[in-house]
Amino acid sequence: MIPTAAVAAEQPADSTAQAILDARAVFLRQEIELASGKPAYLVLDVSRGVLSVRRKHVELLAIPVTATVMVPGGGGDRRPVWPGSKFTLASALQEIERPRIDPPEKAEGDTTAAPVTVGDIQAARDRYLQAHPSRYRLTFDPGLEVEVLGFDPSHGEGGAGLGVRLGDAWRDLGHRLAGRERGLLLRVTMDEQLARRLYLTLEPGITLLIAPPDPR
Amino acid sequence: MKSSRKWWLAAGFALAVPVVLAMVLVLGTARGIPAGEVEFPTTGAGTGPGELARLERTLDAQRPWGVFIIVDTVANRLQVRRGEDVIREAVCSTGTGSVLEDPATGKRWIFETPRGVRTVIGKRKDPVWVRPDWSFIEEGSDLPRNFKDRVDRETLGDWALDLGDGYMIHGTLFQRYLGRNVTHGCIRLGDEDLAFVAAATPVGASVLLF
């Protein structure tokens, strides 16, 4: 009985390690495919707690995040499984209105005319960046919703307040009443300026990869 | 009137109670778990460490070869890289993101530094700028009748690295504005940084802009 127990104790550890090796291989093949093209892509490294924007395997932006998967009530104690390993953004992105430049003749008589000094130009640019959302929800295929929650670090790590939790509850309720299976909800908390920056960087149909831990 | 209001209040209350109860039920049972604990789909491929190492080498080979440039259009920073090594970091100026519309024709220009991957397609010493229409329209000037009135030998500084579609990395007469989004889409550098970038970056080098 003792050897059997020892084998039984070792087997799950081996199979877990093998599963991580396999998942890592899938991830690397997918990143090779993405890095061979020009578009940007996102990589969420769950073990490092970093969401990065990459092109050609070069990390352009590394955003420290706290990533949590929300499991709806009634799901039992079963650990969730990622619904895929490569996700494509399906949500439409909000178009933010750009600052406008009016040529001088028009500007003279127009009180709404665009700025002409460098300070004003930069201020208009800053307003444009600030107009990007810091809290938003993105739908990825297959079956992954990503909720980005930007917080002001001077006010501590905001995370999911009552409003967010009520929103969750409302959506869960809607799915339950409609008898629909809700996709996995990944909640990503980050600095609000970086959340805006991330939104600016998103491109329609951008790919998100979830990086399994590096087994080495 | 009074009884009607009471009726609406009662109906509202009767509707709100089950909704609130249902939400409380869900709130009470929903839980969050760290994303690192979520399992990955199993493939049963039986990958070995050697295969993983081979894939990592293949992935590393996707990075731009030799010297390349990264431009951050929000922080207004430029890096010259060789592999993982940063060999120069510089403050630059990039596009305002503003829109200019020609009042006469309705034609629009967006002064944004393009994001994506570009290639240095040419390098020019003492570059001449042929001013495009928008630079006159923006000033409220008439478009020149003669080509020579478009020629500007000062604005671009000592070097221009062409990135295609009229976008360049070049110098500036306004070094005090480095670090700001003040350009029409080009990337401006200070004199010393521009000299370094021009010397270090060969034609054909990749430029990653984000």
Side-chain angles (χ1 to χ4, degrees), chain A residues 18-29 31-32 35-39 41 44 46-47 53-61 67-85 98-106 118-119 121-122 124-126 128-129 162 165-170 172-173 176 184 186 197 199-203 210-216, chain B residues 18-20 22-49 51-64 68 70-76 81 83-84 94-103 108 110-113 115-119 136-142 177 179-184 206 208-210:
Chain A
Q18 186 60 58
I20 289 173
L21 278 175
D22 290 345
R24 188 82 188 165
V26 169
F27 163 72
L28 290 172
R29 285 194 191 95
E31 192 178 353
I32 288 167
S36 66
K38 287 186 172 181
Y41 55 94
L44 175 64
V46 289
S47 50
V53 180
R54 298 183 189 178
R55 280 187 203 275
K56 304 197 91 48
H57 192 44
V58 176
E59 191 169 76
L60 301 173
L61 188 62
T68 309
V69 168
M70 301 309 295
V71 181
D77 288 333
R78 196 162 46 90
R79 286 214 310 192
V81 180
W82 295 109
S85 43
R98 291 177 175 279
R100 198 168 46 93
I101 300 170
D102 288 322
E105 299 97 319
K106 194 182 172 198
V118 167
I121 289 170
Q122 185 63 54
R125 171 74 177 182
D126 291 345
Y128 170 67
L129 295 177
L162 183 63
R165 295 178 65 210
L166 275 171
D168 272 358
W170 185 252
D172 275 350
L173 192 65
R176 283 176 183 209
L184 209 63
L186 171 65
R197 182 74 208 272
Y199 197 87
L200 179 74
T201 311
L202 293 175
E203 293 166 6
I210 311 285
D214 189 338
R216 289 167 306 171
Chain B
V19 169
V20 169
M23 291 181 88
V24 168
L25 183 73
V26 175
L27 277 172
T29 54
R31 65 196 169 100
I33 65 167
E37 292 179 15
V38 178
E39 289 181 6
F40 287 86
T42 51
T43 62
T47 309
E51 171 67 357
L52 221 52
R54 189 191 66 77
L55 288 169
E56 278 171 356
R57 283 195 300 275
T58 309
L59 181 56
D60 285 342
Q62 305 305 312
R63 282 206 188 94
F68 64 98
I70 298 178
V71 180
D72 180 337
T73 62
V74 173
N76 287 301
R81 297 257 297 255
E84 302 257 23
T94 59
T96 62
S98 306
V99 176
L100 171 69
E101 188 171 309
D102 181 353
R108 281 163 55 99
I110 298 176
F111 297 136
E112 188 75 272
T113 301
R115 289 180 285 148
V117 181
R118 288 185 172 253
T119 303
F136 297 96
I137 292 164
E138 185 183 33
E139 289 177 352
S141 312
D142 293 330
Y177 300 146
R180 294 182 170 203
N181 290 91
V182 293
T183 82
H184 298 90
S206 295
L208 311 184
L209 305 111
F210 74 106

Side-chain angles (χ1 to χ4, degrees), chain B residues 163-183:
Chain B
L163 307 180
D165 301 321
Y167 296 105
M168 291 175 267
I169 297 173
H170 61 70
T172 178
L173 299 171
F174 310 103
Q175 305 221 10
R176 65 186 181 280
Y177 300 146
L178 291 170
R180 294 182 170 203
N181 290 91
V182 293
T183 82

Side-chain angles (χ1 to χ4, degrees), chain A residues 171-189:
Chain A
R171 272 184 291 269
D172 275 350
L173 192 65
H175 279 89
R176 283 176 183 209
L177 291 175
R180 289 194 307 261
E181 181 89 2
R182 198 191 72 175
L184 209 63
L185 173 61
L186 171 65
R187 178 165 290 150
V188 186
T189 309

